[in-house]
Amino acid sequence: MDNKIQTRAIPKKSFVIMAILILLGAATFFMTENGKAQKVTRILTQLGYTNVSNVKVYGTTKVENKDTKIQGFKYFVIFTNLNTKQECRGFVLKDFKRKTAEDISCGDKK
């Protein structure tokens, strides 16, 4: 007996749609990552770190002060301070009242 299984080919239109969706997903990912780095760079400028590079945001958390009920975002960052040529890491906090806080420690590059 000859057991041939027939399969239906996927249309080219479906491949085009999948490729467009993959490209849109990748573009959205890179735009959000770059947007986080830009926000943190602005916050660092307000805190006095004017000459920074290699800003990497590796975590974002929504926080709330239990006493005042003011919410904000806490960004966990690593960046290079070009003025002192040190690698800094820690977190910066910006609440919805536009107040900023930091806990950053700087050390020599590894």
Side-chain angles (χ1 to χ4, degrees), residues 37-60:
Q38 293 296 329
K39 284 180 187 178
V40 170
T41 304
R42 277 186 254 135
I43 294 170
L44 288 171
T45 303
Q46 291 175 354
L47 292 171
Y49 297 97
T50 56
N51 196 6
V52 297
S53 68
N54 300 333
V55 177
K56 182 177 179 189
V57 179
Y58 61 90
T60 304

Side-chain angles (χ1 to χ4, degrees), residues 12-103:
K12 291 181 182 178
K13 183 179 176 181
S14 296
F15 282 120
V16 171
I17 292 172
M18 285 188 274
I20 290 172
L21 288 175
I22 289 170
L23 290 174
L24 286 174
T28 303
F29 173 76
F30 288 118
M31 286 174 45
T32 56
E33 290 299 314
N34 190 26
K36 286 181 194 177
Q38 293 296 329
K39 284 180 187 178
V40 170
T41 304
R42 277 186 254 135
I43 294 170
L44 288 171
T45 303
Q46 291 175 354
L47 292 171
Y49 297 97
T50 56
N51 196 6
V52 297
S53 68
N54 300 333
V55 177
K56 182 177 179 189
V57 179
Y58 61 90
T60 304
T61 306
K62 189 172 183 179
V63 294
E64 178 181 15
N65 187 341
K66 291 183 181 180
D67 298 330
T68 61
K69 303 291 185 194
I70 296 174
Q71 296 179 347
F73 285 100
K74 187 179 199 180
Y75 299 97
F76 299 94
V77 298
I78 297 175
F79 64 94
T80 303
N81 189 353
L82 297 176
N83 291 338
T84 60
K85 294 183 177 59
Q86 292 180 328
E87 183 180 68
C88 301
R89 59 180 60 221
F91 70 86
V92 293
L93 174 72
K94 185 168 186 178
D95 63 16
F96 294 135
K97 297 281 185 174
R98 300 189 191 267
K99 294 182 182 175
T100 57
E102 65 175 310
D103 184 15

